[in-house]
Amino acid sequence: MSSAVPRAFHCEHTRAKSRVYALVERSGQPATLHAVLTCTDPALAQHAAYLLSSVLEHGLGPAAGAESERIAAALPDAPAASFRRTLVDVVNGTWADAPELAATWESLRRGRGDSAGLGGDLESRTPGDARLDAFPGPVVRTISLLEVHVHDPARLLAAATATGWRPFDAEDLDEDDRQDVVGAVMHFVNGPEFLPGADQLMESMQARLLRVDRGDEVSDWSAAPVTARFDTGTRSDPDGRTD
């Protein structure tokens, strides 16, 4: 399995042609754009990019497979061949044409110095060790509940590994999760809008303004644990039976 994975597909349109690009990630290196295909029909190029993005997110089902054949048939021979190769990469969670880059994040950051970052601004505006009453603006607490169905664990694990994730050591893993699927899901929760090889079942969020006069405190200084209560499932009856 390649260590590079496609993360998104985008189009560039000019008066003369349209081009589909893949945004490809490799662990420890900057994401790079790779040209997928070029054609003269902007709608067809946009449709190809949408199809590839959809397969990247949801996998290749019968409907997407049939649509991919229609797109390939409408493209000239060369871009059609590129489209088909890219579709195989997306389905397999790989990227065949991804040579090692000379630049890594470590080399790009080396020698940059703190003056090039935003750390000073962030620290002066929102100090990390402050209590609730020290912040000049309102503080909002959000708590989220997310459930996902991992329909393709191998794809999820490969994509997570390619973007820098590493599983826990074997002795730290639960008996029922020897591949650390839970850790791979957590790796992506705050990343892209979708999880490779997984479908979202449910997402719920609570949010409220923290107030000093109500006895609230930010979590780092709170003496009480931060808790949340979510309603029971809509398919459950009061006796605990499910439909």
Side-chain angles (χ1 to χ4, degrees):
M1 189 73 72
S2 170
S3 63
V5 292
R7 298 299 302 132
F9 290 90
H10 302 283
C11 276
E12 176 191 51
H13 301 291
T14 67
R15 290 183 179 274
K17 61 186 178 181
S18 294
R19 179 168 288 170
V20 177
Y21 289 95
L23 181 67
V24 178
E25 285 190 4
R26 182 189 288 273
S27 179
Q29 297 183 346
T32 55
L33 286 174
H34 293 246
V36 172
L37 64 87
T38 302
C39 67
T40 57
D41 185 337
L44 185 57
Q46 197 71 51
H47 197 184
Y50 175 78
L51 185 281
L52 292 169
S53 296
S54 178
V55 174
L56 183 65
E57 181 173 356
H58 303 295
L60 184 65
E67 189 61 26
S68 69
E69 288 302 318
R70 286 191 285 269
I71 293 173
L75 288 166
D77 289 346
S82 297
F83 173 76
R84 287 193 172 100
R85 286 196 304 270
T86 300
L87 186 61
V88 171
D89 274 341
V90 172
V91 170
N92 293 334
T94 62
W95 194 257
D97 183 24
E100 290 285 346
L101 302 178
T104 64
W105 281 123
E106 182 180 359
S107 66
L108 292 174
R109 294 184 180 116
R110 191 179 300 129
R112 187 182 65 176
D114 293 339
S115 61
L118 301 177
D121 288 346
L122 296 176
E123 182 62 25
S124 62
R125 183 176 62 235
T126 307
D129 59 350
R131 300 184 71 108
L132 180 60
D133 59 4
F135 294 104
V139 175
V140 178
R141 172 178 292 155
T142 65
I143 302 176
S144 300
L145 172 65
L146 174 67
E147 293 177 340
V148 297
H149 166 223
V150 181
H151 58 81
D152 191 343
R155 184 175 168 204
L156 172 71
L157 293 167
T161 300
T163 53
W165 170 80
R166 294 294 180 270
F168 281 123
D169 293 333
E171 59 268 21
D172 296 324
L173 293 174
D174 293 335
E175 289 290 339
D176 59 349
D177 188 18
R178 282 302 182 187
Q179 294 179 302
D180 200 9
V181 171
V182 170
V185 169
M186 292 180 66
H187 171 74
F188 281 116
V189 164
N190 293 319
E193 296 179 356
F194 64 93
L195 282 76
D199 295 327
Q200 179 176 306
L201 297 177
M202 188 275 289
E203 182 176 17
S204 182
M205 176 179 288
Q206 297 180 3
R208 70 181 183 90
L209 192 69
L210 299 186
R211 289 172 41 183
V212 175
D213 61 357
R214 196 164 47 198
D216 292 334
E217 184 55 273
V218 291
S219 58
D220 280 349
W221 287 98
S222 177
V226 176
T227 61
R229 179 184 177 88
F230 294 92
D231 292 335
T232 57
T234 57
R235 300 183 184 218
S236 297
D237 64 23
D239 296 327
R241 296 188 301 269
T242 58
D243 296 336

